[in-house]
Amino acid sequence: ITPAPMTIVFLGITIGTIMTMSSSNWLMAWVGLELNMLAILPIISKPKTTRASEATTKYFLTQAIASAMMLLSSTINVWQTGSWSILELKNKFSTTIMALSLMMKMGAAPIHFWLPEVLQGTTLQTALLITTWQKIAPVTLMYMISNNIQPTILVSAGILSMIVGGLGGINQTQLRKMMAYSSINNLGWTITIMAFSPNMALMNIFTYIIMTTPIFLMMTNMSTKTLQNLSTTWTTSMTMTLSIALLMLSTSGLPPFTGFMPKMLILNELISQKLTTLATLAI
């Protein structure tokens, strides 16, 4: 892609996310998400390979289905309440459909199937974009409607995401798939606490974004795509390999790394809400 179209594409991604984050109307939020989705498709399909084309198709279809569910949810809510306002999402059926559509947009379990495949089929830079920037708009919308969503739905999806993310990453040799399952796991923590403390959920997702960005940038710099590649880079770039290892430990939430802080606060909040069983499951 030449510089001029690339500028338009990145402008579309940025404006789409900002439009969704700043809107108080479901239609404008939907337009922002659509603009964002259409702008990222050329970036995913940039490598002229069959895997990239497959990844683009999978991304487009899942995001289009999620957008359709979002429109269905907001339309049903308008019939019931007469308002397009995001904060007026009162209908229980509407909130459930909306929560599922936003989870699909983010790539949280049980609708996570597309994320590892899309990340594996594209470049490391695009994978970084999908796992960080593309999560901001759906998380913001979920934050805005968190008071209206039934906690059972969020907690169930959150716990499932933690389990899928934790188990899915075990048998992987591809770093991009490992990072995809890491993303699903972290989204699980974010969604679980969203029901009880939305501000803490935002802190968790932004901490994850800050930790994931340097991992992808260093992997791009060293051109490492598999664990085997990563083990051989020790001889050429010891500092960077060590940094990636420490950042990965931090992302997984091991003390005393930064990634442990939001998880500790989330567990503390769950226990203070008398949800000890849930906190034990999360551990």
Side-chain angles (χ1 to χ4, degrees), residues 123-140:
T123 61
L124 285 164
Q125 294 98 318
T126 313
L128 167 64
L129 202 60
I130 293 167
T131 50
T132 55
W133 183 259
Q134 295 299 94
K135 299 269 188 290
I136 296 171
V139 167
T140 307

Side-chain angles (χ1 to χ4, degrees), residues 34-72:
E34 286 295 293
L35 176 62
N36 183 285
M37 176 192 73
L38 292 170
I40 202 172
L41 292 177
I43 298 176
I44 301 172
S45 62
K46 191 185 175 188
K48 297 291 176 278
T49 60
T50 48
R51 284 302 298 270
S53 304
E54 186 187 331
T56 311
T57 310
K58 281 178 179 172
Y59 186 84
F60 172 72
L61 289 174
T62 48
Q63 297 294 317
I65 292 164
S67 293
M69 285 168 68
M70 196 175 158
L71 271 183
L72 170 70

Side-chain angles (χ1 to χ4, degrees), residues 7-272:
T7 308
I8 295 165
V9 161
F10 276 109
L11 207 60
I13 293 169
T14 312
I15 291 170
T17 301
I18 292 168
M19 192 188 289
T20 303
M21 287 171 71
S22 58
S23 62
S24 59
N25 180 297
W26 278 120
L27 275 177
M28 288 308 293
W30 173 78
V31 167
L33 286 170
E34 286 295 293
L35 176 62
N36 183 285
M37 176 192 73
L38 292 170
I40 202 172
L41 292 177
I43 298 176
I44 301 172
S45 62
K46 191 185 175 188
K48 297 291 176 278
T49 60
T50 48
R51 284 302 298 270
S53 304
E54 186 187 331
T56 311
T57 310
K58 281 178 179 172
Y59 186 84
F60 172 72
L61 289 174
T62 48
Q63 297 294 317
I65 292 164
S67 293
M69 285 168 68
M70 196 175 158
L71 271 183
L72 170 70
S73 166
S74 51
T75 308
I76 290 168
N77 187 64
V78 170
W79 280 340
Q80 295 287 322
T81 63
S83 171
W84 280 103
S85 172
I86 290 174
L87 301 174
E88 290 293 316
L89 195 71
K90 305 291 184 193
N91 184 286
K92 274 191 176 180
F93 179 72
S94 290
T95 51
T96 307
I97 296 291
M98 186 61 74
L100 286 171
S101 75
L102 292 173
M103 285 173 202
M104 196 172 188
K105 286 245 172 227
M106 286 187 271
I111 325 166
H112 66 282
F113 51 86
W114 62 271
L115 188 61
E117 296 298 319
V118 170
L119 256 60
Q120 187 55 35
T122 189
T123 61
L124 285 164
Q125 294 98 318
T126 313
L128 167 64
L129 202 60
I130 293 167
T131 50
T132 55
W133 183 259
Q134 295 299 94
K135 299 269 188 290
I136 296 171
V139 167
T140 307
L141 287 175
M142 192 173 271
Y143 175 84
M144 289 164 86
I145 62 165
S146 57
N147 291 334
N148 301 326
I149 307 173
Q150 291 166 287
T152 320
I153 295 162
L154 289 174
V155 168
S156 305
I159 293 292
L160 190 61
S161 293
M162 287 181 206
I163 294 165
V164 167
L167 296 177
I170 290 172
N171 202 29
Q172 297 298 332
T173 55
Q174 295 289 335
L175 290 173
R176 280 168 294 180
K177 277 196 175 180
M178 277 178 69
M179 294 306 291
Y181 284 109
S182 165
S183 171
I184 293 164
N185 180 274
N186 272 277
L187 278 173
W189 286 88
T190 305
I191 292 166
T192 304
I193 200 61
M194 188 71 81
F196 311 104
S197 177
N199 290 334
M200 207 172 282
L202 281 191
M203 185 194 70
N204 182 64
I205 196 74
F206 282 113
T207 307
Y208 167 73
I209 288 170
I210 290 162
M211 290 186 300
T212 304
T213 306
I215 294 176
F216 272 111
L217 292 175
M218 283 191 277
M219 286 198 303
T220 307
N221 192 18
M222 296 192 294
S223 301
T224 51
K225 289 178 183 176
T226 62
L227 277 175
Q228 193 177 2
N229 287 155
L230 197 61
S231 61
T232 55
T233 53
W234 181 259
T235 50
T236 54
S237 181
M238 194 166 81
T239 314
M240 217 171 267
T241 312
L242 188 64
S243 300
I244 288 179
L246 291 173
L247 277 164
M248 280 183 167
L249 288 173
S250 180
T251 313
S252 63
L254 279 174
F257 299 106
T258 314
F260 175 64
M261 179 193 62
K263 288 180 173 59
M264 183 183 68
L265 292 171
I266 287 168
L267 290 172
N268 182 51
E269 182 66 26
L270 290 174
I271 292 163
S272 67

